[in-house]
Amino acid sequence: DTAVSQTPKYLVTQMGNDKSIKCEQNLGHDTMYWYKQDSKKFLKIMFSYNNKELIINETVPNRFSPKSPDKAHLNLHINSLELGDSAVYFCASSRRKRGLSGEDTQYFGPGTRLTVL
Amino acid sequence: EDKVVQSPLSLVVHEGDTVTLNCSYEVTNFRSLLWYKQEKKAPTFLFMLTSSGIEKKSGRLSSILDKKELSSILNITATQTGDSAIYLCAVGMYSGGGADGLTFGKGTHLIIQP
């Protein structure tokens, strides 16, 4: 059974387009995240969502907007794509609860390789 | 600024060798340190170390957290070609909001030659 799934796995698009990446977790976790991994394999947090509330936005351009219809889903929408957005985007989830101690262990999805031409 | 530094950045050894990977951190409100292994796809979880669990072992892999030195090591004994991967160190922190992403190091690219 897939714990954290993402679609699509590959996304090739032109500059200026708008695209979305979907993420779902079936682990019953409270918090979901989006990370960006650049060409040098450096993994950096973009957003985290806890109970439908955005907790972190790490200086990410406002062209990126996470949308969470429910606790099990966190989608990433990107407007006006730029060349520098090309990267692998990973979704993750954890049991971490807002204001309480909870496990930090995060489980990652398979990644979406975005290529902007 | 919170910082996680891994060394070496790359390492090539022969099958059967023992390797030690290093991770040091400078962060506010340290909570946990995690090790992940990344092959072609998603990072997969190896260990989590906290103040109440500073040493973990699983098979040929083991890890120790040194809170005094603000560092951790990941040991792999009797390496196999399947151990070839990027090993990522990440730190979790307390925050007022309660839910944080992990701060990752740049990884150690380990290559095991037959």
Side-chain angles (χ1 to χ4, degrees), chain A residues 9-10 31 33 35 37 40-45 48-50 55-56 90 94 96-111 113, chain B residues 1 4 31-34 36 38-45 47-48 50 86 88 92-107:
Chain A
K9 288 187 180 175
Y10 300 94
T31 306
Y33 310 82
Y35 287 85
Q37 189 171 46
K40 294 184 179 177
K41 299 291 189 181
F42 185 44
L43 204 58
K44 190 167 182 184
I45 182 71
S48 69
Y49 250 79
N50 180 284
I55 303 298
I56 297 176
F90 285 101
S94 79
R96 187 89 184 261
K97 292 181 188 291
R98 182 181 176 88
L100 298 173
S101 62
E103 286 209 15
D104 283 333
T105 306
Q106 295 184 14
Y107 297 89
F108 285 78
R113 183 174 292 278
Chain B
E1 187 184 338
V4 178
R31 175 187 168 90
S32 61
L33 186 143
L34 295 89
Y36 284 85
Q38 186 175 23
E39 296 172 89
K40 291 194 186 296
K41 293 187 177 178
T44 53
F45 172 73
F47 299 118
M48 182 174 75
T50 65
I86 296 173
L88 297 167
M93 289 165 273
Y94 287 101
S95 78
D100 268 342
L102 298 173
T103 298
F104 279 84
K106 294 190 175 180

Side-chain angles (χ1 to χ4, degrees), chain B residues 3 10 14 16 19 30 34 36 46 49 51 53 55 57 59 61 65 71 73 75 85 91 102 104 109 112:
Chain B
K3 203 162 55 169
S10 65
H14 288 101
V19 298
F30 172 87
L34 295 89
Y36 284 85
L46 295 175
L49 304 159
S51 299
E55 190 167 351
K57 184 175 168 62
L61 276 67
L65 174 68
S71 65
I73 58 170
N75 276 324
V91 171
L102 298 173
F104 279 84
H109 190 183
I112 311 296

